[in-house]
Amino acid sequence: GGDASAVDLTNVADISCGYKVCVARRTDSSAVAWGDSLYGGDASAVDLTNVADISCGGRACVARKNDGSAVAWGDSLYGGDASAV
């Protein structure tokens, strides 16, 4: 995950880490990612609000939303591109 000093890690409910990336889900159902942008550290392209659960694997992360939908980001060769799902 690397340096999280620029990330707001208050009110954290869950944390998941993968290869060079971490994601924290907060108690308000928002989530924040940090680490290497190629592997999911930059989640700016996905909506990380209303998050129920988070998981990071080798080079990608996924967030299950409260409405049952999911978003994925990270290396598209390893599941980070869920645009076709």
Side-chain angles (χ1 to χ4, degrees):
D3 181 9
S5 62
V7 179
D8 178 9
L9 292 176
T10 57
N11 301 313
V12 171
D14 297 309
I15 294 179
S16 180
C17 294
Y19 180 69
K20 297 185 178 184
V21 61
C22 290
V23 179
R25 185 181 64 86
R26 298 183 186 118
T27 55
D28 67 357
S29 296
S30 66
V32 61
W34 69 96
D36 191 317
S37 61
L38 179 61
Y39 304 119
D42 178 9
S44 62
V46 294
D47 176 16
L48 291 180
T49 59
N50 299 311
V51 173
D53 197 22
I54 53 173
S55 181
C56 291
R59 297 175 187 226
C61 299
V62 64
R64 182 177 57 85
K65 307 292 239 53
N66 289 321
D67 66 2
S69 65
V71 294
W73 68 99
D75 190 332
S76 61
L77 295 175
Y78 294 89
D81 180 7
S83 62
V85 176

